[in-house]
Amino acid sequence: MVQTEAFIILSMILFALGAMGVLIRRNPILVFMAVELMLNSANLALVAFARQWGHSDGQIFVFFVITVAAAEVAVGLALIVAIFRTKQSINIDDLHLMEG
Amino acid sequence: MEFLLFAGIGSLAIIAAVAMLISDNAVYSALFLIVNFLCVAFLYLMLEAPFLAMVQIAVYAGAIMVLFLFVIMLLGAEKTASKGNRSFRWLPGIAMGLALAFVFSVGAAISSGNVDGQEPPPQDAFVRFVHAAPVRADIPEGASEAQLAIAERRFDVLVNGTLAVSGLEFNDQRGVNERYLRLSPGEYTLTFSPAGTEVPFKTLALTLDSRDSTTVILHGESDAGLTVTALDDDLGIPQSDRAHVAVFNALDGQDEVRLINLVSPLVDDWRQVIPVSEPVAYGTRSAAIPVDPSIAGSLVVIEGGSETAVLEGNFRPVLVRFNNIPGLSLDRQQSFLYILTGQRALNGGLEPLLITREDPGALAYGDPAAVGIRLFTEYVLPVQLVALLLLAAMIGVIVLTLRKDIEPKPSRLMRRKVSRPLTAVISTQTGSDLGPSVPQIEAPKSASGGQPEPAGD
């Protein structure tokens, strides 16, 4: 059985990569993908801890996280499409005006 | 070997994540992210979460990534590298440094022992208390509270001296006279005392291991004959199309009991029956017997276990029609323990009564069925809330994407482009009649719509 720490370290690395992606990339679609990566690493940690403590609550929380992530992606991508239609650009650096 | 597999899958996940971050083409990024999700799904399988692995593949690698690819291709935003116009050139370096510092600090915390490498803690053990001792017919008058409780067979159960189960009573309604306890593994002293008093009546030493499932049965007819027996619930793992059945004989003062296989539930000739179990003496349990749950009434419990009694028909059969007992059906791959007890009838004989239960330890950790059962029992409210959230998100997406089509801006732009040459053509063809009227109509529109545009660009 692979130790829980190994999964936690892998989860941390993936989370750090996702956080870097959110900060570095300029394309909001890629930023969203990085957010998904972070959510996934958190899920991995939850499942690893669920096995560590032999309790399936962690797995159920992961199920909820996946559901919320699906809703978030749907709304986020719709926002991106809406912004693209008004601005003709989705570069994050161009979206610094608070006007409608 | 398993760790090598983990290391391979884990490094593939990291490589896919890095490739996703540095790829210039958004479509490639999405495909690398799918690889990463598949790796994580495989890791879920290694972590005994097959349900989540399937959800991960279906929802993440399937639905969400298709949505991403769809939007990328809809917007034509494949090329994401736009260097030279960055407002914060120093940000990536800082972000990289912060991220690496985060990883290293966590690694340091782990190596210094903040996350223990201990084995998973032991699981709770299930203990079921079954009251299978019928109530005595003659209740003594003027008896003390304890004597009355004993006569009425009302008992409390103390676990290591503390009250754990109160008011365990005999009742011929199925399920009423059984209670469950979850106890952590260890050694326990169970004390049965008359209800309301804490006077020890019967004691039983019990050693529980992790995930044990034990049935503690109180049986016996006379006050002096009351006995407490502990049984291991493990009836083995049935084959895919079979169920396991065992019978515990709690019929005090009766003959042995045996399970026989009845070829047809309506058979008249009892000689057609085939014995499938050894005779079960009072206070003992038969071995687990595999049965076909699709055949109703395939088992019979007979008092009087001798072969001659069966052949001569000199016995009192009790039909156990598994699929006809209210609220109970025998399902495949389940284990059932039938406790055969009796209630004192008017004629002084014992009316056999079956107490049944399926094995609570049947669903192991990570079993999709176990996760599903918990989702729809303990977590019904969160499931409903998440469903509402998804509904709200769906409506929000529809509103967000529909609103732009209602706005008149694109159609106005098109009309201005098309209508000017058209009016010019019309005016030249029909004379100057149309000419003066057109600018009067067009001027307010272009003045109101044309001015905000330069600001917007």
Side-chain angles (χ1 to χ4, degrees):
Chain A
M1 196 169 88
V2 181
Q3 282 193 323
T4 307
E5 288 95 327
F7 285 100
I8 302 304
I9 291 174
L10 176 64
S11 153
M12 286 297 170
I13 292 172
L14 287 179
F15 190 89
L17 286 172
M20 279 166 56
V22 169
L23 291 176
I24 292 173
R25 299 310 301 247
R26 289 285 177 277
N27 188 331
I29 294 179
L30 274 163
V31 169
F32 259 103
M33 287 189 199
V35 168
E36 294 303 311
L37 193 61
M38 290 163 76
L39 283 171
N40 245 281
S41 67
N43 287 351
L44 188 63
L46 272 174
V47 177
F49 279 125
R51 189 196 60 169
Q52 165 90 2
W53 303 115
H55 222 273
S56 60
D57 277 349
Q59 296 193 13
I60 288 166
F61 286 143
V62 169
F63 178 75
F64 289 132
V65 169
I66 288 177
T67 321
V68 171
E72 170 237 322
V73 165
V75 174
L77 289 179
L79 276 174
I80 288 176
V81 170
I83 290 169
F84 184 79
R85 282 187 182 173
T86 50
K87 296 273 184 185
Q88 297 298 316
S89 160
I90 52 170
N91 192 327
I92 285 184
D93 288 344
D94 294 343
L95 305 177
H96 52 343
L97 295 176
M98 288 284 284
E99 61 179 351
Chain B
M1 178 61 203
E2 200 184 351
F3 187 79
L4 283 180
L5 194 63
F6 167 79
I9 298 289
S11 45
L12 183 59
I14 292 174
I15 289 169
V18 171
M20 179 205 101
L21 288 184
I22 63 175
S23 159
D24 279 346
N25 192 326
V27 177
Y28 290 167
S29 289
L31 295 178
F32 279 126
L33 192 57
I34 291 179
V35 172
N36 180 275
F37 285 165
L38 291 179
C39 291
V40 172
F42 193 86
L43 293 176
Y44 285 165
L45 278 182
M46 290 179 72
L47 285 169
E48 302 171 48
F51 173 69
L52 285 180
M54 292 314 297
V55 169
Q56 172 89 2
I57 290 175
V59 176
Y60 259 127
I64 291 184
M65 292 320 292
V66 164
L67 204 58
F68 268 114
L69 287 172
F70 182 75
V71 170
I72 290 169
M73 292 174 180
L74 180 76
L75 302 187
E78 290 94 346
K79 296 292 174 208
T80 55
S82 58
K83 301 196 175 187
N85 196 20
R86 290 188 174 172
S87 338
F88 305 100
R89 288 172 183 276
W90 43 269
L91 197 57
I94 300 243
M96 189 102 59
L98 277 178
L100 289 178
F102 183 55
V103 166
F104 285 135
S105 63
V106 168
I110 288 172
S111 59
S112 64
N114 284 359
V115 180
D116 289 335
Q118 60 187 352
E119 285 294 298
Q123 302 280 296
D124 281 354
F126 278 103
V127 179
R128 175 175 67 144
F129 296 97
V130 175
H131 193 311
V135 179
R136 206 168 74 183
D138 51 328
I139 307 288
E141 288 184 19
S144 70
E145 191 190 357
Q147 284 173 323
L148 193 65
I150 291 172
E152 292 178 349
R153 304 284 192 258
R154 285 184 290 112
F155 288 97
D156 292 343
V157 182
L158 289 78
V159 175
N160 286 348
T162 52
L163 185 65
V165 175
S166 62
L168 190 65
E169 288 185 79
F170 187 82
N171 192 313
D172 56 2
Q173 298 296 313
R174 189 179 75 86
V176 175
N177 47 0
E178 58 182 19
R179 304 285 182 84
Y180 295 90
L181 272 189
R182 288 179 80 150
L183 296 173
S184 49
E187 294 191 3
Y188 293 94
T189 306
L190 305 180
T191 308
F192 281 74
S193 67
T197 73
E198 297 209 348
V199 184
F201 182 70
K202 293 284 174 192
T203 57
L204 178 76
L206 195 62
T207 305
L208 295 174
D209 286 335
S210 181
R211 289 194 196 182
D212 259 4
S213 180
T214 307
T215 301
V216 176
I217 305 169
L218 177 75
H219 57 94
E221 192 182 354
S222 64
D223 287 356
L226 283 174
T227 317
V228 177
T229 306
L231 285 180
D232 189 2
D233 281 349
D234 186 13
L235 297 180
I237 298 167
Q239 288 179 352
S240 59
D241 58 342
R242 289 284 187 273
H244 273 181
V245 168
V247 168
F248 177 82
N249 183 359
L251 286 167
D252 197 0
Q254 302 292 308
D255 287 333
E256 290 172 328
V257 164
R258 110 176 334 186
L259 281 174
I260 60 175
N261 189 3
L262 190 57
V263 177
S264 158
L266 299 174
V267 70
D268 288 330
D269 187 357
W270 293 99
R271 274 164 289 197
Q272 287 187 12
V273 299
I274 307 157
V276 293
S277 81
E278 295 298 308
V280 183
Y282 169 67
T284 58
R285 192 196 80 183
S286 74
I289 297 151
V291 298
D292 186 354
S294 61
I295 301 174
S298 63
L299 283 183
V300 174
V301 179
I302 293 179
E303 296 175 49
S306 70
E307 205 70 34
T308 54
V310 172
L311 290 177
E312 293 164 9
N314 183 21
F315 56 86
R316 195 148 63 95
V318 184
L319 263 180
V320 187
R321 293 170 189 254
F322 293 111
N323 295 330
N324 288 350
I325 296 175
L328 174 85
S329 66
L330 196 59
D331 285 332
R332 288 175 181 174
Q333 287 195 300
Q334 284 185 331
S335 300
F336 287 83
L337 176 65
Y338 288 80
I339 297 167
L340 199 61
T341 181
Q343 189 168 29
R344 187 169 286 281
L346 288 175
N347 58 6
L350 283 170
E351 197 68 27
L353 180 72
L354 285 159
I355 297 168
T356 57
R357 189 205 51 164
E358 57 189 284
D359 192 353
L363 293 176
Y365 169 77
D367 193 322
V371 175
I373 287 171
R374 293 201 70 193
L375 269 181
F376 288 103
T377 53
E378 286 174 59
Y379 289 92
V380 167
L381 188 63
V383 166
Q384 299 291 328
L385 289 178
V386 163
L388 268 180
L389 179 75
L390 279 176
L391 188 67
M394 196 177 74
I395 295 170
V397 166
I398 292 172
V399 168
L400 273 175
T401 46
L402 266 187
R403 256 181 73 189
K404 298 297 169 188
D405 294 339
I406 298 168
E407 276 189 9
K409 196 173 174 185
S411 60
R412 189 184 63 219
L413 284 172
M414 276 180 61
R415 190 174 61 203
R416 190 171 61 190
K417 277 180 184 171
V418 175
S419 60
R420 256 185 197 158
L422 202 63
T423 50
V425 168
I426 292 171
S427 58
T428 49
Q429 283 180 352
T430 58
S432 59
D433 285 340
L434 202 59
S437 65
V438 172
Q440 282 179 357
I441 298 167
E442 289 273 328
K445 279 187 184 175
S446 60
S448 64
Q451 274 181 355
E453 270 184 62
D457 290 336

